[in-house]
Protein backbone atom coordinates (compact mmCIF):
# COMPACT_ATOMS: atom_id res chain seq x y z
CA UNK A 1 0.00 0.00 0.00
CA UNK A 2 1.40 3.40 -0.89
CA UNK A 3 0.43 5.02 2.45
CA UNK A 4 2.98 4.19 5.15
CA UNK A 5 2.13 4.68 8.83
CA UNK A 6 5.03 5.79 11.03
CA UNK A 7 3.35 5.75 14.44
CA UNK A 8 6.01 3.35 15.71
CA UNK A 9 8.71 5.90 14.81
CA UNK A 10 6.98 8.65 16.80
CA UNK A 11 6.34 6.27 19.71
CA UNK A 12 10.04 5.44 19.82
CA UNK A 13 10.99 9.13 19.71
CA UNK A 14 8.62 9.85 22.60
CA UNK A 15 9.66 6.67 24.46
CA UNK A 16 6.00 5.69 24.77
CA UNK A 17 4.43 2.23 24.66
CA UNK A 18 1.58 1.42 22.27
CA UNK A 19 -0.70 0.55 25.18
CA UNK A 20 -0.10 3.91 26.83
CA UNK A 21 -0.90 5.78 23.60
CA UNK A 22 -4.03 3.70 23.08
CA UNK A 23 -5.24 4.52 26.59
CA UNK A 24 -4.49 8.23 26.22
CA UNK A 25 -6.38 8.53 22.92
CA UNK A 26 -9.26 6.28 23.97
CA UNK A 27 -9.00 3.33 21.57
CA UNK A 28 -8.13 -0.30 22.16
CA UNK A 29 -4.52 -1.43 21.80
CA UNK A 30 -5.72 -3.88 19.13
CA UNK A 31 -7.26 -1.08 17.03
CA UNK A 32 -4.14 1.05 17.42
CA UNK A 33 -2.03 -1.94 16.34
CA UNK A 34 -4.14 -2.28 13.17
CA UNK A 35 -3.46 1.36 12.37
CA UNK A 36 0.21 1.22 13.39
CA UNK A 37 0.89 -1.85 11.27
CA UNK A 38 -0.68 -0.33 8.15
CA UNK A 39 -3.65 -2.71 8.03
CA UNK A 40 -6.31 -0.02 8.57
CA UNK A 41 -8.46 0.98 5.62
CA UNK A 42 -9.28 4.36 7.16
CA UNK A 43 -8.53 6.59 10.13
CA UNK A 44 -10.90 9.08 11.68
CA UNK A 45 -9.65 12.63 11.78
CA UNK A 46 -10.57 12.75 15.48
CA UNK A 47 -8.30 9.76 16.11
CA UNK A 48 -5.50 11.27 14.03
CA UNK A 49 -5.89 14.57 15.90
CA UNK A 50 -5.77 12.78 19.26
CA UNK A 51 -2.61 10.90 18.27
CA UNK A 52 -0.99 14.16 17.11
CA UNK A 53 -2.00 15.87 20.34
CA UNK A 54 -0.57 13.14 22.58
CA UNK A 55 2.61 12.65 20.54
CA UNK A 56 3.01 16.40 19.91
CA UNK A 57 3.45 15.96 16.17
CA UNK A 58 1.86 16.72 12.80
CA UNK A 59 -0.15 14.24 10.65
CA UNK A 60 2.74 14.26 8.18
CA UNK A 61 4.98 12.86 10.92
CA UNK A 62 2.67 9.83 11.11
CA UNK A 63 1.65 9.26 7.50
CA UNK A 64 3.63 9.33 4.27
CA UNK A 65 3.05 8.30 0.67
CA UNK A 66 5.37 5.92 -1.15
CA UNK A 67 4.31 5.00 -4.68
CA UNK A 68 4.05 1.33 -5.60
CA UNK A 69 6.61 -0.02 -8.06
CA UNK A 70 5.55 0.75 -11.60
CA UNK A 71 3.28 3.55 -10.36
CA UNK A 72 2.35 6.07 -13.02
CA UNK A 73 1.65 9.52 -11.66
CA UNK A 74 -1.95 10.68 -11.94
CA UNK A 75 -0.67 14.09 -13.05
CA UNK A 76 1.28 12.60 -15.95
CA UNK A 77 -1.76 10.54 -16.94
CA UNK A 78 -3.89 13.69 -17.06
CA UNK A 79 -1.26 15.57 -19.09
CA UNK A 80 -0.88 12.65 -21.49
CA UNK A 81 -4.63 12.41 -21.99
CA UNK A 82 -4.91 16.18 -22.53
CA UNK A 83 -2.14 16.15 -25.11
CA UNK A 84 -3.81 13.29 -26.98
CA UNK A 85 -7.17 15.06 -27.00
CA UNK A 86 -5.76 18.14 -28.75
Amino acid sequence: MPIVVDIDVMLARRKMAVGVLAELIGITPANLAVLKNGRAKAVRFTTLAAICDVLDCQPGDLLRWEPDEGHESTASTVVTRSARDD
Side-chain angles (χ1 to χ4, degrees):
M1 169 168 264
I3 301 297
V4 179
V5 181
D6 286 328
I7 291 175
D8 53 345
V9 173
M10 290 307 297
L11 284 169
R13 288 182 183 165
R14 303 297 188 254
K15 296 181 171 79
M16 184 181 295
V18 174
V20 172
L21 178 61
E23 185 176 331
L24 291 172
I25 63 173
I27 66 173
T28 67
N31 283 341
L32 183 56
V34 167
L35 178 59
K36 184 178 82 67
N37 295 324
R39 295 188 316 262
K41 295 187 186 278
V43 60
R44 292 175 189 248
F45 282 168
T46 54
T47 302
L48 185 58
I51 294 170
C52 289
D53 183 39
V54 170
L55 295 179
D56 189 29
C57 65
Q58 294 294 313
D61 297 325
L62 303 173
L63 303 172
R64 61 189 160 88
W65 179 76
E66 284 188 1
D68 291 333
E69 281 189 35
H71 172 76
E72 183 178 331
S73 170
T74 304
S76 66
T77 302
V78 170
V79 170
T80 303
R81 286 183 187 155
S82 294
R84 269 195 317 230
D85 294 340
D86 288 342

